[in-house]
Amino acid sequence: MRNWEFSPVDLSTWRDKINGELNNKQGGLSYYDEIEGFEISIVEKNYQEKYHSQEIEYGNIITKNAVSIDVTNEKEANELALYCLNYGADALFFHAKKKIIDWSIVLKNIELIYIQSWFLLESAEQEKSLNSVLDSAALEHATVVVISENNQSMVFPGFEMQQIGSPVFIELSYLLYSLNNYIIDSERSKIEEDTLIFTCGMSGNYFMDVAKIRALKFLITQLLDSYAVKPKKIEFHAHSGWTNKSLEDVDTNLLRQTTEIMAA
């Protein structure tokens, strides 16, 4: 077996390199796309402030790095989506924040047939515009939700409860209590047309987080079965939190973030 004779790197050099990357001190690293004609800094903070990544599970579909993008400017949304896909995103969540959107610009050079995508729209006009751009193959990998009085997604926010300090049993109890009240107060026909979204906060306690998500899935199934109702869709969104992150120790943040995502 050939000995490649890699040059050894001392611990301090390795730590300085990691700290520099996590603190956005990489200097002039950038990506330039000749076809699109735009340049993106690999560590540009503006992009990091415009999106967040999370794990999403829906049916047999599990994504590890779904990116949420608010569409207020078509070209910026397209550049951001391409940037995120280039650096590991495996799903895109577009939230329409503008009355009239040219989806052909937003989705330019994005092959939706190879990834999972979600579109949260606010009007029938936006849906009509989107459908004129998407072909049948892309629609098979896309979930389109139009927020209206008759068709909307119901979000049950366990993440916020976890972030303000609630222990696991309080977070799960709150989600089940909210779901129970929603079923009681809603018509069966409405429930069967709605998308139910449950958000969970990851605490960094690996095995507890794993057990929490598994318990939540089981308990929600039991509650829905007891009322004999079946929603149109059910999604679980696992969010990494910020309350257990340090402003100074980036190494610890990296370990905690990794633990949370691995648990999800």
Side-chain angles (χ1 to χ4, degrees):
M1 184 174 180
R2 182 176 178 180
N3 182 7
W4 291 97
E5 298 181 354
F6 289 109
S7 300
V9 179
D10 60 84
L11 179 61
S12 61
T13 301
W14 179 84
R15 289 179 61 87
D16 290 342
K17 176 65 175 176
I18 294 296
N19 288 332
E21 292 178 352
L22 294 177
N23 284 306
N24 296 334
K25 296 179 180 178
Q26 292 170 288
L29 291 179
S30 62
Y31 169 76
Y32 179 73
D33 189 303
E34 296 180 356
I35 297 177
E36 290 295 311
F38 62 83
E39 183 175 0
I40 303 174
S41 171
I42 292 177
V43 294
E44 186 175 348
K45 288 187 177 180
N46 291 336
Y47 282 101
Q48 297 179 8
E49 294 168 355
K50 291 181 181 178
Y51 77 91
H52 65 275
S53 62
Q54 62 192 43
E55 175 173 312
I56 295 178
E57 178 171 338
Y58 166 61
N60 295 325
I61 301 169
I62 300 178
T63 71
K64 296 299 181 184
N65 191 16
V67 176
S68 177
I69 300 175
D70 293 337
V71 182
T72 56
N73 179 287
E74 289 90 339
K75 187 175 181 181
E76 287 186 1
N78 175 257
E79 292 180 0
L80 178 55
L82 291 173
Y83 170 87
C84 294
L85 290 171
N86 192 48
Y87 286 95
D90 61 356
L92 298 174
F93 188 104
F94 292 100
H95 187 180
K97 295 285 186 125
K98 173 178 184 185
K99 186 175 182 180
I100 300 176
I101 296 176
D102 187 342
W103 290 103
S104 63
I105 297 177
V106 176
L107 302 176
K108 185 177 180 181
N109 290 337
I110 298 177
E111 299 291 342
L112 295 179
I113 62 174
Y114 299 113
I115 61 173
Q116 187 66 25
S117 58
W118 286 265
F119 297 86
L120 183 59
L121 312 179
E122 298 180 348
S123 68
E125 290 75 14
Q126 291 177 348
E127 182 181 20
K128 182 178 180 181
S129 174
L130 177 62
N131 289 335
S132 67
V133 174
L134 299 181
D135 55 25
S136 58
L139 284 172
E140 291 180 0
H141 297 81
T143 300
V144 180
V145 178
V146 181
I147 300 177
S148 66
E149 293 182 356
N150 299 321
N151 182 16
Q152 63 179 4
S153 58
M154 289 297 301
V155 180
F156 301 91
F159 170 67
E160 285 76 4
M161 293 293 294
Q162 186 269 337
Q163 286 295 285
I164 62 175
S166 298
V168 171
F169 72 92
I170 294 294
E171 183 182 358
L172 296 184
S173 299
Y174 173 75
L175 288 172
L176 294 171
Y177 172 79
S178 300
L179 176 60
N180 186 69
N181 287 342
Y182 164 74
I183 296 174
I184 294 174
D185 296 337
S186 303
E187 297 290 338
R188 177 180 296 270
S189 58
K190 180 181 184 302
I191 297 174
E192 294 177 349
E193 290 297 322
D194 279 353
T195 298
L196 307 186
I197 300 176
F198 298 88
T199 68
C200 301
M202 298 293 101
S203 66
N205 188 333
Y206 182 81
F207 291 106
M208 184 64 74
D209 286 341
V210 172
K212 177 174 69 175
I213 294 179
R214 295 184 65 180
L216 177 61
K217 292 179 181 179
F218 174 79
L219 292 171
I220 288 175
T221 301
Q222 293 295 310
L223 183 57
L224 291 174
D225 288 346
S226 67
Y227 284 99
V229 294
K230 186 177 181 180
K232 182 178 180 181
K233 299 176 183 177
I234 299 177
E235 297 182 5
F236 294 91
H237 294 196
H239 298 252
S240 58
W242 59 82
T243 55
N244 63 341
K245 303 302 185 295
S246 170
L247 293 175
E248 302 293 338
D249 191 348
V250 294
D251 293 336
T252 299
N253 289 345
L254 178 62
L255 293 173
R256 289 176 178 173
Q257 193 87 351
T258 301
T259 302
E260 293 166 11
I261 298 305
M262 288 286 288

PDB file of all heavy atoms in Angstrom, residues 227-240:
ATOM      1  N   TYR A 227     -60.039   9.551  17.164  1.00  0.00           N
ATOM      2  CA  TYR A 227     -61.108  10.374  16.583  1.00  0.00           C
ATOM      3  C   TYR A 227     -61.499   9.884  15.185  1.00  0.00           C
ATOM      4  O   TYR A 227     -62.411  10.450  14.577  1.00  0.00           O
ATOM      5  CB  TYR A 227     -60.677  11.833  16.490  1.00  0.00           C
ATOM      6  CG  TYR A 227     -60.708  12.566  17.809  1.00  0.00           C
ATOM      7  CD1 TYR A 227     -59.549  12.762  18.557  1.00  0.00           C
ATOM      8  CD2 TYR A 227     -61.902  13.080  18.312  1.00  0.00           C
ATOM      9  CE1 TYR A 227     -59.567  13.450  19.760  1.00  0.00           C
ATOM     10  CE2 TYR A 227     -61.942  13.767  19.508  1.00  0.00           C
ATOM     11  CZ  TYR A 227     -60.774  13.939  20.234  1.00  0.00           C
ATOM     12  OH  TYR A 227     -60.803  14.625  21.421  1.00  0.00           O
ATOM     13  N   ALA A 228     -60.793   8.889  14.681  1.00  0.00           N
ATOM     14  CA  ALA A 228     -61.063   8.331  13.341  1.00  0.00           C
ATOM     15  C   ALA A 228     -60.993   9.413  12.267  1.00  0.00           C
ATOM     16  O   ALA A 228     -61.851   9.497  11.384  1.00  0.00           O
ATOM     17  CB  ALA A 228     -62.414   7.632  13.313  1.00  0.00           C
ATOM     18  N   VAL A 229     -59.976  10.248  12.339  1.00  0.00           N
ATOM     19  CA  VAL A 229     -59.774  11.283  11.326  1.00  0.00           C
ATOM     20  C   VAL A 229     -58.407  11.089  10.683  1.00  0.00           C
ATOM     21  O   VAL A 229     -57.478  10.589  11.320  1.00  0.00           O
ATOM     22  CB  VAL A 229     -59.872  12.713  11.924  1.00  0.00           C
ATOM     23  CG1 VAL A 229     -61.266  12.987  12.407  1.00  0.00           C
ATOM     24  CG2 VAL A 229     -58.857  12.906  13.034  1.00  0.00           C
ATOM     25  N   LYS A 230     -58.310  11.489   9.433  1.00  0.00           N
ATOM     26  CA  LYS A 230     -57.059  11.339   8.695  1.00  0.00           C
ATOM     27  C   LYS A 230     -56.767  12.621   7.926  1.00  0.00           C
ATOM     28  O   LYS A 230     -57.397  12.892   6.894  1.00  0.00           O
ATOM     29  CB  LYS A 230     -57.148  10.160   7.725  1.00  0.00           C
ATOM     30  CG  LYS A 230     -55.833   9.858   7.029  1.00  0.00           C
ATOM     31  CD  LYS A 230     -55.949   8.639   6.137  1.00  0.00           C
ATOM     32  CE  LYS A 230     -54.613   8.337   5.460  1.00  0.00           C
ATOM     33  NZ  LYS A 230     -54.715   7.141   4.569  1.00  0.00           N
ATOM     34  N   PRO A 231     -55.828  13.449   8.402  1.00  0.00           N
ATOM     35  CA  PRO A 231     -55.487  14.689   7.690  1.00  0.00           C
ATOM     36  C   PRO A 231     -54.917  14.402   6.307  1.00  0.00           C
ATOM     37  O   PRO A 231     -54.436  13.296   6.029  1.00  0.00           O
ATOM     38  CB  PRO A 231     -54.426  15.339   8.594  1.00  0.00           C
ATOM     39  CG  PRO A 231     -54.587  14.688   9.915  1.00  0.00           C
ATOM     40  CD  PRO A 231     -55.064  13.292   9.639  1.00  0.00           C
ATOM     41  N   LYS A 232     -54.975  15.410   5.466  1.00  0.00           N
ATOM     42  CA  LYS A 232     -54.450  15.264   4.115  1.00  0.00           C
ATOM     43  C   LYS A 232     -52.954  14.957   4.142  1.00  0.00           C
ATOM     44  O   LYS A 232     -52.459  14.078   3.432  1.00  0.00           O
ATOM     45  CB  LYS A 232     -54.706  16.543   3.315  1.00  0.00           C
ATOM     46  CG  LYS A 232     -54.240  16.490   1.876  1.00  0.00           C
ATOM     47  CD  LYS A 232     -54.576  17.786   1.160  1.00  0.00           C
ATOM     48  CE  LYS A 232     -54.110  17.741  -0.291  1.00  0.00           C
ATOM     49  NZ  LYS A 232     -54.420  19.015  -0.998  1.00  0.00           N
ATOM     50  N   LYS A 233     -52.214  15.691   4.996  1.00  0.00           N
ATOM     51  CA  LYS A 233     -50.771  15.496   5.113  1.00  0.00           C
ATOM     52  C   LYS A 233     -50.344  15.746   6.552  1.00  0.00           C
ATOM     53  O   LYS A 233     -50.963  16.540   7.260  1.00  0.00           O
ATOM     54  CB  LYS A 233     -49.997  16.446   4.195  1.00  0.00           C
ATOM     55  CG  LYS A 233     -50.276  16.286   2.706  1.00  0.00           C
ATOM     56  CD  LYS A 233     -49.535  17.340   1.912  1.00  0.00           C
ATOM     57  CE  LYS A 233     -49.870  17.245   0.432  1.00  0.00           C
ATOM     58  NZ  LYS A 233     -49.200  18.326  -0.342  1.00  0.00           N
ATOM     59  N   ILE A 234     -49.280  15.080   6.954  1.00  0.00           N
ATOM     60  CA  ILE A 234     -48.668  15.336   8.260  1.00  0.00           C
ATOM     61  C   ILE A 234     -47.168  15.488   8.051  1.00  0.00           C
ATOM     62  O   ILE A 234     -46.546  14.646   7.402  1.00  0.00           O
ATOM     63  CB  ILE A 234     -48.937  14.193   9.256  1.00  0.00           C
ATOM     64  CG1 ILE A 234     -50.430  14.020   9.498  1.00  0.00           C
ATOM     65  CG2 ILE A 234     -48.229  14.472  10.583  1.00  0.00           C
ATOM     66  CD1 ILE A 234     -50.761  12.870  10.422  1.00  0.00           C
ATOM     67  N   GLU A 235     -46.610  16.559   8.591  1.00  0.00           N
ATOM     68  CA  GLU A 235     -45.171  16.793   8.460  1.00  0.00           C
ATOM     69  C   GLU A 235     -44.568  17.055   9.833  1.00  0.00           C
ATOM     70  O   GLU A 235     -45.200  17.673  10.692  1.00  0.00           O
ATOM     71  CB  GLU A 235     -44.890  17.983   7.535  1.00  0.00           C
ATOM     72  CG  GLU A 235     -45.367  17.789   6.102  1.00  0.00           C
ATOM     73  CD  GLU A 235     -45.028  18.969   5.204  1.00  0.00           C
ATOM     74  OE1 GLU A 235     -44.345  19.893   5.691  1.00  0.00           O
ATOM     75  OE2 GLU A 235     -45.433  18.964   4.037  1.00  0.00           O
ATOM     76  N   PHE A 236     -43.330  16.591  10.013  1.00  0.00           N
ATOM     77  CA  PHE A 236     -42.579  16.855  11.237  1.00  0.00           C
ATOM     78  C   PHE A 236     -41.345  17.677  10.872  1.00  0.00           C
ATOM     79  O   PHE A 236     -40.555  17.258  10.037  1.00  0.00           O
ATOM     80  CB  PHE A 236     -42.162  15.545  11.914  1.00  0.00           C
ATOM     81  CG  PHE A 236     -43.316  14.730  12.421  1.00  0.00           C
ATOM     82  CD1 PHE A 236     -43.905  13.776  11.601  1.00  0.00           C
ATOM     83  CD2 PHE A 236     -43.811  14.917  13.692  1.00  0.00           C
ATOM     84  CE1 PHE A 236     -44.977  13.023  12.054  1.00  0.00           C
ATOM     85  CE2 PHE A 236     -44.879  14.165  14.156  1.00  0.00           C
ATOM     86  CZ  PHE A 236     -45.473  13.219  13.337  1.00  0.00           C
ATOM     87  N   HIS A 237     -41.203  18.843  11.497  1.00  0.00           N
ATOM     88  CA  HIS A 237     -40.067  19.722  11.240  1.00  0.00           C
ATOM     89  C   HIS A 237     -39.217  19.796  12.511  1.00  0.00           C
ATOM     90  O   HIS A 237     -39.680  20.248  13.556  1.00  0.00           O
ATOM     91  CB  HIS A 237     -40.531  21.130  10.863  1.00  0.00           C
ATOM     92  CG  HIS A 237     -41.267  21.181   9.566  1.00  0.00           C
ATOM     93  ND1 HIS A 237     -41.482  22.370   8.886  1.00  0.00           N
ATOM     94  CD2 HIS A 237     -41.836  20.215   8.800  1.00  0.00           C
ATOM     95  CE1 HIS A 237     -42.150  22.121   7.771  1.00  0.00           C
ATOM     96  NE2 HIS A 237     -42.388  20.818   7.710  1.00  0.00           N
ATOM     97  N   ALA A 238     -37.992  19.331  12.414  1.00  0.00           N
ATOM     98  CA  ALA A 238     -37.072  19.376  13.556  1.00  0.00           C
ATOM     99  C   ALA A 238     -36.142  20.577  13.405  1.00  0.00           C
ATOM    100  O   ALA A 238     -35.466  20.713  12.387  1.00  0.00           O
ATOM    101  CB  ALA A 238     -36.269  18.088  13.644  1.00  0.00           C
ATOM    102  N   HIS A 239     -36.124  21.452  14.395  1.00  0.00           N
ATOM    103  CA  HIS A 239     -35.321  22.675  14.343  1.00  0.00           C
ATOM    104  C   HIS A 239     -34.177  22.605  15.356  1.00  0.00           C
ATOM    105  O   HIS A 239     -34.384  22.221  16.509  1.00  0.00           O
ATOM    106  CB  HIS A 239     -36.176  23.906  14.673  1.00  0.00           C
ATOM    107  CG  HIS A 239     -37.287  24.155  13.723  1.00  0.00           C
ATOM    108  ND1 HIS A 239     -37.289  25.187  12.823  1.00  0.00           N
ATOM    109  CD2 HIS A 239     -38.459  23.502  13.515  1.00  0.00           C
ATOM    110  CE1 HIS A 239     -38.402  25.165  12.113  1.00  0.00           C
ATOM    111  NE2 HIS A 239     -39.133  24.143  12.521  1.00  0.00           N
ATOM    112  N   SER A 240     -32.994  22.985  14.924  1.00  0.00           N
ATOM    113  CA  SER A 240     -31.897  23.157  15.879  1.00  0.00           C
ATOM    114  C   SER A 240     -32.072  24.516  16.543  1.00  0.00           C
ATOM    115  O   SER A 240     -32.409  25.494  15.892  1.00  0.00           O
ATOM    116  CB  SER A 240     -30.542  23.067  15.175  1.00  0.00           C
ATOM    117  OG  SER A 240     -30.445  24.046  14.161  1.00  0.00           O
TER     118      SER A 240
END
